C-alpha cells in the first residue's frame, strides 16, 4: 500500500488499529442487542458493513477516507467476529456450549491459514486495491447469505440456574471479580499480542533467517488449533479461577522461554507450539468466563464489556512493543518485560472467582 500510494506506513497501520479500537467500543452496544434479539440481524448487517468498509478501503483516494473505511470495518468486526458468535452459541447450545464454542474456534483458527495464503496469491497477480475488491466479493458471497439464512432459529430466553443466580448486569460489571477479571485479560492480552508481533524481529535479531522466523510464528497457529481441542478436558477438571490462573501463567512462562532460550531452532519452534496452545485455550477461556461465573442471562452485554479493554490493549500492543524495544535495547529485554506483565495478570487471576448463591 505504502509503495503504491506514498502514504506513511504509520498512518496505514494506525488505521487498522483504529478499527480494532472501534470494534472494542462498539462491542459493548452490540452485546446488549444480542442479549435482546439474537444474532441474525446483527451479524447480517455486520457482514454488509464489512463489505462496504472493504470497498471504501479499496477505493480510498486519500488517508482520511482510508481511515474512515477501517473505522467502519471496526463496526463490522464487532458484529461478526468471535464475540457475537460466542453469544449466539452460548444461548443456543447451553448447557453444551463449550463443545459448540470449540468447534467454531477450531474452524476460525484456519482463517489465517486459508486467507493469508489466498491474499498473498491474489496480491501476486493483482494490485492491493483489486485484492481488497476480491476479498470483499468473497465476504459478500459467503457471509451475508450465511448469516441471513442460517441464523433463523428462535432466540430462546436466557437460561438461569441455581448456581448462577442473576445479579443484574449493572451489579456484575461493578463487582470486584469482574473488574479484576477484565484487568487480568487486558494485561494478558497485551502481552500475548505483543509477543506474536515481536517474535519475528526477536528471531531476526538472533540471526535466524526471515523464513525460519516466519515458520516459527506460523507453527504457533497450529498450536492454537491443538490447544482448543484440549480445552473441554481442561474445563472438566479445573475451576474457572484455577484455569484462568494456570493458562495466563503458562502464557507468561512461554514468553520467558522465548526471552531466555536463544536456540536451538527446534527448541524455539517447540516453545512456539506451546505458546500457540496457550493462546488457543485463552480464546475459549474468555468465551466461557462470563457463563462460568455469572451465567448466560446477560452474556452479550457482559462479554462485550469484558472484551473491550482487552481488545483495545491488543490493538495497541504492536505499537507499544516496537516502541519499548528501542529504549530497552532490543527485543530480548522486551520479552522479559512482557513476562512481568503476564505474571501481574496471573497474580490477579486468583481473585476473579465468585461464590455461587443458591
Amino acid at each position: 500500500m505504502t509503495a503504491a500510494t506514498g502514504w506513511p506506513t504509520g498512518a496505514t497501520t494506525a488505521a487498522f488499529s483504529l478499527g480494532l479500537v472501534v470494534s472494542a467500543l462498539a462491542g459493548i452496544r452490540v452485546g446488549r442487542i444480542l442479549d435482546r434479539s439474537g444474532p441474525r440481524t446483527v451479524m447480517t448487517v455486520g457482514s454488509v458493513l464489512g463489505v462496504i468498509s472493504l470497498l471504501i478501503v479499496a477505493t480510498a483516494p486519500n488517508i482520511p477516507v482510508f481511515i474512515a473505511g477501517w473505522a467502519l470495518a471496526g463496526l463490522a468486526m464487532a458484529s461478526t467476529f468471535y464475540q457475537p458468535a460466542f453469544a449466539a452459541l452460548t444461548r443456543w447450545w447451553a448447557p453444551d456450549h463449550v463443545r459448540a464454542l470449540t468447534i467454531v474456534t477450531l474452524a476460525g483458527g484456519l482463517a489465517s491459514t486459508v486467507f493469508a495464503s489466498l491474499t498473498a496469491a491474489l496480491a501476486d497477480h493483482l494490485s492491493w486495491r483489486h485484492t481488497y475488491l476480491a476479498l470483499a466479493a468473497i465476504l459478500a458471497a459467503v457471509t451475508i447469505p450465511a448469516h441471513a439464512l442460517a441464523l433463523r432459529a428462535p432466540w430462546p430466553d436466557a437460561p438461569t440456574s441455581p448456581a448462577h443466580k442473576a445479579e443484574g448486569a449493572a451489579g456484575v460489571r461493578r463487582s470486584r471479580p469482574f473488574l479484576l477479571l477484565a484487568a487480568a485479560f487486558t494485561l494478558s492480552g497485551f502481552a500475548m499480542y505483543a509477543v506474536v508481533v515481536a517474535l519475528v524481529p526477536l528471531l531476526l535479531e538472533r540471526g535466524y533467517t526471515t523464513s525460519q522466523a516466519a515458520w516459527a510464528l506460523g507453527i504457533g497457529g497450529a498450536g492454537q488449533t491443538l490447544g482448543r481441542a484440549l480445552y473441554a478436558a481442561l474445563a472438566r477438571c479445573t475451576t474457572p479461577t484455577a484455569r484462568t490462573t494456570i493458562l495466563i501463567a503458562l502464557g507468561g512462562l512461554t514468553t520467558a522461554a522465548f526471552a531466555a532460550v536463544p536456540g536451538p531452532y527446534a527448541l524455539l519452534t517447540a516453545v512456539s507450539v506451546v505458546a500457540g496452545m496457550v493462546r488457543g485455550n485463552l480464546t475459549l477461556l474468555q468465551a466461557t468466563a462470563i457463563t462460568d461465573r455469572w451465567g448466560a442471562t446477560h452474556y452479550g452485554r457482559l462479554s462485550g464489556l469484558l472484551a473491550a479493554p482487552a481488545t483495545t490493549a491488543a490493538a495497541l500492543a504492536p505499537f507499544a512493543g516496537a516502541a519499548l524495544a528501542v529504549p530497552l535495547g532490543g527485543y530480548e529485554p522486551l520479552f522479559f518485560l512482557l513476562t512481568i506483565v503476564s505474571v501481574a495478570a496471573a497474580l490477579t487471576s486468583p481473585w476473579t472467582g465468585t461464590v455461587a448463591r443458591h
Side-chain angles (χ1 to χ4, degrees):
M1 290 180 184
T2 56
T5 63
W7 298 339
T9 302
T12 55
T13 308
F16 175 72
S17 292
L18 173 65
L20 293 178
V21 173
V22 170
S23 173
L25 298 176
I28 299 172
R29 179 60 181 170
V30 168
R32 292 187 180 188
I33 297 172
L34 286 164
D35 281 339
R36 184 173 62 250
S37 58
R40 185 186 179 197
T41 300
V42 168
M43 299 189 79
T44 303
V45 171
S47 295
V48 173
L49 292 178
V51 173
I52 295 172
S53 69
L54 291 187
L55 294 176
I56 293 174
V57 169
T59 58
N62 51 51
I63 278 288
V65 176
F66 183 82
I67 292 173
W70 276 111
L72 182 62
L75 296 177
M77 288 188 269
S79 304
T80 56
F81 277 11
Y82 274 149
Q83 287 304 124
F86 289 163
L89 295 171
T90 298
R91 184 75 67 90
W92 270 328
W93 270 272
D96 196 25
H97 59 281
V98 172
R99 185 170 66 92
L101 292 169
T102 301
I103 292 170
V104 166
T105 54
L106 286 174
L110 298 174
S112 58
T113 303
V114 173
F115 280 93
S117 56
L118 175 62
T119 302
L122 289 171
D124 283 342
H125 298 88
L126 303 172
S127 68
W128 73 265
R129 294 184 185 275
H130 287 102
T131 298
Y132 265 72
L133 292 175
L135 293 173
I138 294 172
L139 189 67
V142 176
T143 66
I144 295 175
H147 291 147
L149 300 176
L151 302 180
R152 300 172 65 91
W155 189 236
D157 293 332
T160 58
S161 70
H164 296 106
K165 184 176 180 181
E167 301 177 39
V172 170
R173 68 182 176 85
R174 289 194 296 265
S175 68
R176 181 181 175 184
F178 184 88
L179 295 174
L180 291 176
L181 186 63
F185 282 162
T186 299
L187 291 171
S188 174
F190 177 87
M192 181 177 67
Y193 281 97
V195 165
V196 169
V197 174
L199 180 58
V200 168
L202 172 71
L203 296 183
L204 294 177
E205 190 176 77
R206 288 174 169 171
Y208 293 100
T209 67
T210 302
S211 177
Q212 287 176 315
W215 273 105
L217 178 62
I219 202 168
Q224 286 186 208
T225 301
L226 177 60
R228 288 167 182 168
L230 300 175
Y231 182 80
L234 178 65
R236 285 193 296 268
C237 62
T238 57
T239 65
T241 303
R243 62 178 168 271
T244 300
T245 305
I246 291 169
L247 288 173
I248 291 178
L250 284 174
L253 184 61
T254 59
T255 303
F258 279 129
V261 178
Y265 180 72
L267 181 57
L268 287 171
T269 57
V271 173
S272 183
V273 171
V274 176
M277 292 174 66
V278 174
R279 291 198 302 272
N281 275 279
L282 284 170
T283 300
L284 287 168
L285 177 73
Q286 294 181 36
T288 57
I290 296 297
T291 310
D292 288 340
R293 291 169 173 80
W294 297 283
T297 305
H298 305 288
Y299 180 89
R301 180 180 180 184
L302 292 175
S303 64
L305 288 167
L306 186 65
T311 304
T312 303
L316 299 176
F319 288 102
L324 288 170
V326 176
L328 289 173
Y331 281 89
E332 187 173 295
L334 172 65
F335 272 64
F336 280 117
L337 177 61
L338 295 175
T339 299
I340 295 172
V341 174
S342 291
V343 169
L347 292 176
T348 304
S349 302
W351 307 98
T352 63
T354 58
V355 178
R357 293 185 296 175
H358 298 272

